[in-house]
């Protein structure tokens, strides 16, 4: 058992690693070297990364890949994708190529409202609270002027403030329910700062309200925070083509492909076990672009999955149909992304990723990201209903094993050829390599 540590954050990075090695890694020099091996030689760059979070001891690499040929609303894009899972970038690229030859993707931001709430308790007469709220609404708006001034110049700001009575669900519980337009920023800091100011003003005004009794004056703020559920910040992405253009495979006609594909989507629409995996495939594309562009993938994940259950049952995010011989495949998701603020101007690779995307507005990035999700789902379903996904996965798996066991380039070539016709398992790969070497 190691002892708890005091003042850990005050130690230097080297001291932190020393403490870690001594207490948790049997003073293993190799472990220390691994941590240090990932430090960047450029001290300024390393310091920048150290300061993103607290108690940084090293950097954790994830691959940054490129998926080219994404034709979106008539323009070609190459998508930067950060992901650890093999096959995802390949699948995205394949899907992009396929649809670029069939008119490409269309994507639209339907609306872009973000939401924040002041959660508070009020014991007393609701009508009095309501009239206080009506009276102080201009004051609430005025109180955040120093925060909203710049956002308003960019065309954003506070859209609506509502008082919501939630006492049917939780005793004495009310909210200020606020809608924001944060333009090209994700807006978390902006929203939270406004909400905290609203909370302060609300509490003050309640305590000074002449017609409030003592209990009513004692309005209690519980918390003020943005919501990562953004069902009024919706993006739609779509592809379509004549059914007969769908097939690239002699074994399956376009009609057969469409039928099986739509059936696979329908299964995900009604069966939550399948829907979760189906949507996980969508998120493979979305998260990879969200990460590359320095956005908050946890917020995106939480919001999208909540949306997938908005009708009381977790369901597919994507939908497909054939009408009058035209196959259509589409998705609408809530997505709050930013292209200014946060990591976007700090992390050199994030800046570069946004350059690669030709400096998109938040709306354009939302469209591109949604397309990445739709493309990924198309690729996954296409594999699943035709060859199965293991074929592609196992090829990458083979490379991972070969890299792990430090096979030479020549050995890799021979092994890839051999395993085109043999089943890949960890042990079969090792066995074959040993045979080859002996
Ligand atoms: C794997 O990361 C994603 C898939 O499982 C998605 C799906 O099943 O649709 C292939």
């Amino acid at each position: 058992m190691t002892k708890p540590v005091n003042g850990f954050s005050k130690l230097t990075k080297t001291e932190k690693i020393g403490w870690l090695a001594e207490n948790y890694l049997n003073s293993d020099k190799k472990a220390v070297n691994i941590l240090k091996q990932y430090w960047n030689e450029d001290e300024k760059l390393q310091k920048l990364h150290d300061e993103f979070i607290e108690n940084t001891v090293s950097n954790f690499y994830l691959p940054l890949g490129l998926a080219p040929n994404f034709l979106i609303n008539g323009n070609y894009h190459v998508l930067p994708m950060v992901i650890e899972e093999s096959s995802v970038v390949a699948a995205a690229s394949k899907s992009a190529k396929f649809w670029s030859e069939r008119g490409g993707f269309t994507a639209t931001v339907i609306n872009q409202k973000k939401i924040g709430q002041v959660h508070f308790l009020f014991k007393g007469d609701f009508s009095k609270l309501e009239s206080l709220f009506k009276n102080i609404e201009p004051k609430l708006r005025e109180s955040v002027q120093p925060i909203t001034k710049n956002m308003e110049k960019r065309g954003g700001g506070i859209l609506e403030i509502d008082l919501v009575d939630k006492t049917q669900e939780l005793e004495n519980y009310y909210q200020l329910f606020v809608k924001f337009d944060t333009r090209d920023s994700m807006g978390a800091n902006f929203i939270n700062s406004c909400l905290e100011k609203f909370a302060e003003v609300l509490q003050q005004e309640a305590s000074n309200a002449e017609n409030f009794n003592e209990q009513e004056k004692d309005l209690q703020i519980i918390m003020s925070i943005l919501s990562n559920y953004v069902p009024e910040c919706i993006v739609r992405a779509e592809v379509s083509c004549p059914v007969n253009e769908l097939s690239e495979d002699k074994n399956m006609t376009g009609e057969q492909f469409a039928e099986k594909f739509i059936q696979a989507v329908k299964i995900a629409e009604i069966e939550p076990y399948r829907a979760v995996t189906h949507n996980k495939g969508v998120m493979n594309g979305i998260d990879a672009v969200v990460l590359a562009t320095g956005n908050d993938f946890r917020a995106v994940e939480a919001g999208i999955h909540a949306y997938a259950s908005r009708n009381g049952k977790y369901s597919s995010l994507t939908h497909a149909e054939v009408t009058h011989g035209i196959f259509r495949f589409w998705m609408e998701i809530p997505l709050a992304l930013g292209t200014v603020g946060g990591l976007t101007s700090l992390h050199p690779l994030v800046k570069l990723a946004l350059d690669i995307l030709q400096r998109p507005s938040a709306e354009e990035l939302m469209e591109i990201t949604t397309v990445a999700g739709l493309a990924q789902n198309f690729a996954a379903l296409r594999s699943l209903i035709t060859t199965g996904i293991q074929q592609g996965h196992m090829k990458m798996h083979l490379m991972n094993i070969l890299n792990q066991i430090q096979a030479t380039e020549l050995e890799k070539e021979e092994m890839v050829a051999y395993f085109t016709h043999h089943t890949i398992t960890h042990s079969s790969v090792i066995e074959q390599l040993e045979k080859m070497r002996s």
Side-chain angles (χ1 to χ4, degrees), residues 223-236:
M223 58 192 162
S224 310
I225 185 76
L226 92 171
S227 172
N228 288 127
Y229 188 44
V230 284
E232 288 184 64
C233 193
I234 298 288
V235 198
R236 181 187 169 91

Side-chain angles (χ1 to χ4, degrees), residues 85 274 277-278 280-281 284 380 384 389:
E85 184 177 333
R274 173 56 202 151
T277 318
H278 177 98
K280 188 273 181 186
N284 277 345
L384 285 167
I389 58 155

Side-chain angles (χ1 to χ4, degrees), residues 145-182:
Q145 259 300 303
I147 312 169
T148 56
K149 216 170 41 199
N150 279 337
M151 189 63 85
E152 279 164 12
K153 269 191 217 146
R154 290 192 265 138
I158 292 171
L159 301 173
E160 284 167 50
I161 315 175
D162 286 306
L163 173 68
V164 184
D165 180 353
K166 300 289 278 186
T167 54
Q168 295 290 326
E169 288 159 81
L170 188 64
E171 207 178 7
N172 305 321
Y173 169 40
Y174 297 88
Q175 301 170 352
L176 289 185
F177 192 92
V178 191
K179 292 185 184 169
F180 299 85
D181 178 347
T182 63

